[in-house]
Amino acid sequence: MQAAPGNAVFATATRASSALPSTLSVRPPSVTGALRALERLLMRGGQRTARRNAWTAVLEDRRRAKDRREAQHVLEAVAAPGPRAT
């Protein structure tokens, strides 16, 4: 198939597009993929360490709160009048 001299650009584009496989498709990035990419960008180096330290602090705060609740329960049981379980 010979293209007319004025249609050289069209003929080149047609040949280039026919060379691509028909199954080639570009999917838009998923929300999950975008969030992971953003996290990788933001959590470089020291950021990762800071995040890990913050989570460790949260877990430690929860443990101390649980200990306080248990101690409060024991103190209330001792202060309450009535028979005591031994």
Side-chain angles (χ1 to χ4, degrees), residues 1 8 14 17 19 22 27 30 32 44 47 52-53 55-56 58 62 66 73 77 82 86:
M1 176 172 140
T14 304
S17 66
S22 62
R27 288 184 287 169
S30 66
T32 303
R44 290 186 187 160
Q47 296 264 342
R52 197 177 313 120
N53 289 345
W55 183 245
T56 301
V58 166
R62 288 178 182 175
K66 180 182 172 196
H73 179 71
T86 53

Side-chain angles (χ1 to χ4, degrees), residues 2-83:
Q2 190 67 313
N7 291 335
V9 173
F10 176 74
T12 304
T14 304
R15 271 187 261 124
S17 66
S18 65
L20 293 174
S22 62
T23 58
L24 180 66
S25 65
V26 178
R27 288 184 287 169
S30 66
V31 174
T32 303
L35 289 175
R36 285 184 180 154
L38 182 62
E39 182 182 30
R40 278 193 300 272
L41 178 69
L42 294 176
M43 298 296 173
R44 290 186 187 160
Q47 296 264 342
R48 254 187 223 120
T49 302
R51 181 179 175 189
R52 197 177 313 120
N53 289 345
W55 183 245
T56 301
V58 166
L59 295 177
E60 185 64 21
D61 287 345
R62 288 178 182 175
R63 186 194 60 78
R64 282 195 301 268
K66 180 182 172 196
D67 290 346
R68 279 194 304 273
R69 283 191 304 270
E70 290 173 355
Q72 183 67 32
H73 179 71
V74 168
L75 289 174
E76 289 172 356
V78 168

